[in-house]
Amino acid sequence: MMVEKTLCIIKPNAVVDNNIGNIILRYESEGLRIAAAKFTHLSKEKAEGFYIEHKGKPFFGSLVNFMTSGPVLLLVLEGEEAIKRNRDIMGSTNPAEAQPGTLRKMYARSLEQNAVHGSDSQVSAKREVAYFFDENEVFTRF
Ligand code: ADP
Ligand code: MG
């Protein structure tokens, strides 16, 4: 087992729907810790850079519009196997396919507005945490 950090974004739909607390409670009750947090409104440039791997796909423009439509809460979650555990807690990208009890099943509005983001690998977690947080903004307890 390995202690990891992963980036979570509580997306604009979950902020508007007043589910920030529900989502954080879920992570904490699963034993993940918040190592960093920032409430912010992404610029178009910042959102495009974050989702650069999807540039050129048909949903890219709409995704960037959505992600800049309101504030987001950026979180760094820390814990044993945090990357995979966050993906499991979130559920499938498409809420229609997500398991009952997953965050996306409970809090998504649609495939696009699916409530939360989670890094999908160690490489992306490292990039994504550094994309939003300076080293001195991230706290480690382990
Ligand atoms: P994940 O967030 O599960 O890693 P992807 O990296 O494939 O999923 O996609 C990034 C985000 O883009 C998704 O979380 C979702 O908000 C949006 N998205 C993905 N596929 C589609 C699609 N076919 N139509 C609309 N939005 C999509
Ligand atoms: Mg992804």
Side-chain angles (χ1 to χ4, degrees):
M1 295 268 272
M2 200 165 65
V3 175
E4 296 171 331
K5 290 187 177 69
T6 189
L7 186 84
C8 166
I9 305 178
I10 301 184
K11 295 185 179 185
N13 73 291
V15 173
V16 168
D17 292 339
N18 223 16
N19 284 318
I20 292 175
N22 288 326
I23 292 168
I24 289 178
L25 181 61
R26 178 64 180 282
Y27 288 130
E28 289 191 334
S29 62
E30 297 266 359
L32 294 173
R33 290 176 173 275
I34 293 172
K38 199 175 283 184
F39 196 52
T40 188
H41 194 143
L42 299 179
S43 66
K44 186 166 181 276
E45 293 67 31
K46 198 78 180 167
E48 285 176 346
F50 180 72
Y51 279 122
I52 194 78
E53 66 174 301
H54 296 304
K55 199 168 176 163
K57 293 184 186 170
F59 62 83
F60 182 74
S62 178
L63 175 63
V64 168
N65 273 343
F66 162 57
M67 290 299 290
T68 58
S69 66
V72 295
L73 185 65
L74 307 169
L75 297 172
V76 178
L77 303 175
E78 185 185 49
E80 295 282 351
E81 314 218 298
I83 297 167
K84 178 176 189 306
R85 284 178 58 213
N86 182 30
R87 298 288 301 190
D88 290 345
I89 292 166
M90 290 195 305
S92 298
T93 306
N94 186 347
E97 293 161 11
Q99 294 299 307
T102 59
L103 293 176
R104 282 168 165 172
K105 178 58 89 183
M106 291 193 289
Y107 303 127
R109 291 185 185 180
S110 65
L111 170 55
E112 178 180 83
Q113 301 196 22
N114 60 359
V116 277
H117 167 85
S119 310
D120 65 5
S121 67
Q122 293 193 11
V123 171
S124 66
K126 209 173 167 75
R127 178 187 89 88
E128 291 175 3
V129 168
Y131 189 77
F132 289 118
F133 292 94
D134 292 336
E135 258 175 59
N136 66 1
E137 294 175 311
V138 182
F139 299 89
T140 299
R141 291 192 189 74
F142 290 95

